[in-house]
Amino acid sequence: MIILTPSAQSYPLSVQDPSSRWLSSNRMVIQDKTLQLSEEEVAIWYADKHEAPYYRDLVNYLTRGPIRVIVLSRVYAISGLRNLIGPTKPQPNTIRGLYGTNVQENAIHASDSKAAARREINFFF
């Protein structure tokens, strides 16, 4: 599962479009929706981050505009997507390197495990 964060809404359609080449390469879109998160929803989703020094900035960022949640299916979907988007800190030749501005506003979130994907999919859908 991936989430295009609020800063991603200003990107070209090719980045936002789940049928675009970077997203659709042997992947099938299962679910796709755009929504506006409330502070309460962010608090639930990131319950493990409440004590982090960056938590308030994270809440402000995720609630400042709509997000787009996309569930994808493919063999090795999680590892493939994680390689494509890159590490949390934007690096060259990755989606985050191309479109992220810093560690927090890195344009995209991707589930890091099957358990996380199940939890996040259940939360958003």
Side-chain angles (χ1 to χ4, degrees):
M1 186 195 83
I2 64 168
I3 297 174
L4 299 176
T5 59
S7 61
Q9 300 307 317
S10 62
Y11 299 145
L13 182 60
S14 63
V15 174
Q16 296 183 44
D17 182 359
S19 65
S20 68
R21 188 174 59 93
W22 70 268
L23 197 54
S24 66
S25 176
N26 296 318
R27 294 173 182 88
M28 186 168 52
V29 174
I30 303 299
Q31 293 177 295
D32 181 356
K33 75 176 179 180
T34 300
L35 64 141
Q36 177 71 46
L37 287 174
S38 68
E39 287 192 22
E40 294 77 19
E41 289 168 321
V42 175
I44 295 167
W45 181 27
Y46 280 116
D48 62 330
K49 307 274 192 256
H50 286 199
E51 302 303 317
Y54 57 84
Y55 178 73
R56 176 56 27 208
D57 290 336
L58 180 65
V59 170
N60 291 339
Y61 173 58
L62 290 172
T63 59
R64 80 173 185 211
I67 64 168
R68 186 164 178 199
V69 183
I70 305 169
V71 179
L72 300 162
S73 178
R74 168 192 129 144
V75 175
Y76 303 114
I78 293 171
S79 61
L81 282 169
R82 303 283 303 171
N83 287 333
L84 186 64
I85 68 168
T88 303
K89 181 178 180 184
Q91 299 294 311
N93 301 316
T94 67
I95 298 300
R96 287 176 169 160
L98 291 170
Y99 302 104
T101 56
N102 58 48
V103 170
Q104 182 174 314
E105 296 191 20
N106 60 19
I108 191 168
H109 165 85
S111 302
D112 62 2
S113 67
K114 287 181 182 180
R118 277 191 289 277
R119 181 180 62 82
E120 293 171 344
I121 290 167
N122 287 334
F123 179 80
F124 288 105
F125 295 93

